[in-house]
C-alpha cells in the first residue's frame, strides 16, 4: 500500500454559506423543481467533502441511473449536523450524514426521515499500536485514549466498550484531540489508543504503523452515512424518494461490480486531490465497503439500503442511555421502510 497517508472520510467539512445554499437548493423539499421534460431537480447534501468513498452516488449520476429515474441530482457538502438542519427545514431535498447525528437531532426536535440505510454498520473503531497490546476493551485499563469531542459518537462508543469490560471512564485517561491531530497523536505514541473512523486503520497501515483495531459496532450498534429526506418530501412526494433510492442502489451495484472504474471516475470528476491513490482506495472499497458497509445479511434478505429496525432501536436507546437524548423514541418514527413509501 502507498506510503502516503490516504485522505479518508473525516476530512474537514466544507460548509456551504447561506447564500450558496440558497442558490443551489430547490428551496422547498416538498416541491422539487420540474423541468419541461419532466425531470425533477433535487439536491443532496453530503457529509464532509468530495471523497471517492461516495462512489455509488457519483456512479448513479455518471452512469445515468438518476437520469433514468427522472432526477437531475446536484451534490453539495456540509457538516453532518448542518445537513440534518438543512433537510429538516427544506433547504435541500436529501442529505447523506452520519446516522448518529440524525438520531441525536431527531431526539432534539430536528426531524427528518431515514429513507436509505446506506451503511449497514457504524464506522467507528478503537485503534492502537500493536506494541500497546490492546486486544480487547479490558486492556484499556490505565491507558490513555483520545476522542475528538466529549459529545461525539466515538466518545459514546468508548463508554460502551468500557462498560462491556466492567470498566468506567475513570479507569482510563481520556484526552480530546481535534480531527487534524488525533491520528498523528497515536502514530507518534502520544496516546495509547484513539476511537475514530475505522477507515484510518488503512491510513495508519500505509504509513507503516502496526495497528490493532477493535470495531465499535460490536459493542454499540450504529450506522455510518445514510440518506435522509424531509418529512414533507416523504409524505407528499414518495415517488421522488423511491426513484432516488432505486438509482442509488444501482450505483452501489455498479461500484461493487466495477470498483476500480468507479474509483477512477470519482477521483477524475469529483475528488481530484486523491489522484495517485486509486489503487489503495479500490482495495478499501473491496475490503470494507463492499463486504461490511453497503452489504449485510439484512440487505441479502431485504435489498440494498433496507433498514434493520432492531439495530436502529438499539442505536436510539443507547443515545438515551449515555445521555445524548433526554428520552428514547420508536425507530419506526424516524426510519422509513421501503414499503412505507407507497
Amino acid at each position: 500500500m502507498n506510503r502516503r497517508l490516504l485522505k479518508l472520510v473525516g476530512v474537514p467539512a466544507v460548509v456551504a454559506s447561506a447564500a450558496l445554499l440558497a442558490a443551489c437548493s430547490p428551496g422547498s423539499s416538498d416541491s422539487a423543481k420540474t423541468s419541461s421534460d419532466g425531470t425533477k431537480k433535487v439536491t443532496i447534501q453530503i457529509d464532509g467533502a468530495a471523497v471517492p468513498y461516495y462512489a455509488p452516488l457519483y456512479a448513479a449520476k455518471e452512469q445515468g441511473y438518476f437520469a433514468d429515474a427522472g432526477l437531475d441530482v446536484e451534490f453539495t457538502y456540509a457538516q453532518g449536523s448542518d445537513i440534518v438542519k438543512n433537510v429538516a427545514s427544506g433547504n435541500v431535498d436529501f442529505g447523506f450524514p452520519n446516522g448518529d447525528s440524525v438520531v441525536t437531532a431527531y431526539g432534539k426536535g430536528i426531524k427528518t426521515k431515514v429513507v436509505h440505510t446506506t451503511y449497514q454498520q457504524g464506522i467507528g473503531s478503537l485503534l492502537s499500536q500493536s506494541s500497546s497490546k490492546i486486544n480487547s476493551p479490558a486492556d484499556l485499563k490505565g491507558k490513555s485514549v483520545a476522542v475528538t469531542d466529549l459529545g461525539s459518537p466515538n466518545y459514546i462508543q468508548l463508554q460502551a466498550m468500557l462498560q462491556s469490560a466492567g470498566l468506567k471512564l475513570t479507569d482510563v485517561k481520556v484526552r480530546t484531540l481535534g480531527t487534524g491531530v488525533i491520528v498523528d497523536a497515536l502514530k507518534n505514541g502520544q496516546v495509547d489508543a484513539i476511537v475514530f473512523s475505522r477507515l484510518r486503520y488503512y491510513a495508519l497501515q500505509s504509513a507503516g504503523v502496526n495497528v490493532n483495531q477493535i470495531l465499535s459496532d460490536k459493542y454499540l450498534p450504529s450506522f455510518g452515512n445514510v440518506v435522509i429526506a424531509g418529512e414533507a418530501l416523504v409524505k407528499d412526494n414518495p415517488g421522488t424518494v423511491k426513484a432516488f433510492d432505486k438509482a442509488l442502489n444501482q450505483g452501489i451495484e455498479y461500484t461493487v461490480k466495477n470498483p476500480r472504474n468507479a474509483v477512477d471516475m470519482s477521483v477524475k470528476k469529483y475528488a481530484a486531490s486523491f489522484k495517485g491513490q486509486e489503487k489503495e482506495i479500490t482495495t478499501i472499497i473491496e475490503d470494507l465497503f463492499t463486504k461490511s458497509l453497503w452489504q449485510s445479511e439484512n440487505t441479502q434478505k431485504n435489498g440494498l439500503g433496507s433498514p434493520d429496525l432492531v439495530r436502529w432501536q438499539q442505536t436510539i436507546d443507547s443515545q438515551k442511555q449515555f445521555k445524548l437524548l433526554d428520552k428514547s423514541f420508536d425507530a419506526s418514527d424516524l426510519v422509513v421502510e421501503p414499503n412505507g413509501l407507497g
Side-chain angles (χ1 to χ4, degrees), residues 300-320:
Q300 290 176 3
K301 295 177 182 177
N302 303 307
L304 294 170
S306 295
D308 181 338
L309 289 182
V310 173
R311 281 178 54 84
W312 273 106
Q313 192 64 57
Q314 291 173 330
T315 300
I316 294 165
D317 293 343
S318 68
Q319 288 208 13
K320 168 63 172 62

Side-chain angles (χ1 to χ4, degrees), residues 6-11 51 53 199-203 274 281 284:
L6 300 181
K7 299 176 182 177
L8 301 168
V9 171
V11 295
V51 295
Y53 307 104
L199 297 181
R200 300 294 175 146
Y201 173 80
Y202 297 92
F274 290 82
I281 293 167
I284 297 172

Side-chain angles (χ1 to χ4, degrees), residues 14-28 32-33 41-46 72-78 86 90-94:
V14 178
V15 183
S17 68
L20 176 60
L21 188 56
C24 70
S25 72
S28 174
K33 293 180 180 179
K41 295 184 178 181
V42 298
T43 300
I44 180 168
Q45 198 164 65
I46 301 171
D72 179 6
V73 178
E74 180 179 7
F75 304 130
T76 63
Y77 303 87
N86 286 329
N91 287 328
V92 292
D93 303 286
F94 296 98

Side-chain angles (χ1 to χ4, degrees), residues 51-165:
V51 295
Y53 307 104
Y54 297 142
L57 283 166
Y58 302 144
K61 186 177 180 80
E62 298 301 325
Q63 293 297 314
Y65 304 138
F66 281 136
D68 290 344
L71 301 176
D72 179 6
V73 178
E74 180 179 7
F75 304 130
T76 63
Y77 303 87
Q79 293 179 346
S81 58
D82 292 331
I83 292 172
V84 182
K85 293 175 185 176
N86 286 329
V87 172
S89 64
N91 287 328
V92 292
D93 303 286
F94 296 98
F96 197 54
N98 186 284
D100 293 313
S101 64
V102 179
V103 170
T104 304
Y106 193 94
K108 295 179 178 179
I110 305 171
K111 296 185 176 182
T112 59
K113 295 289 188 182
V114 175
V115 296
H116 191 278
T117 304
T118 316
Y119 291 15
Q120 295 283 303
Q121 293 183 7
I123 58 173
S125 69
L126 178 81
L127 300 171
S128 63
Q129 291 206 43
S130 299
S131 58
S132 296
K133 298 181 180 180
I134 299 174
N135 299 308
S136 72
D139 297 327
L140 288 172
K141 188 172 183 178
K143 303 289 187 179
S144 58
V145 186
V147 296
T148 55
D149 186 89
L150 297 184
S152 69
N154 294 139
Y155 184 55
I156 305 304
Q157 292 160 10
L158 171 60
Q159 293 179 63
M161 288 184 182
L162 292 172
Q163 188 179 79
S164 74

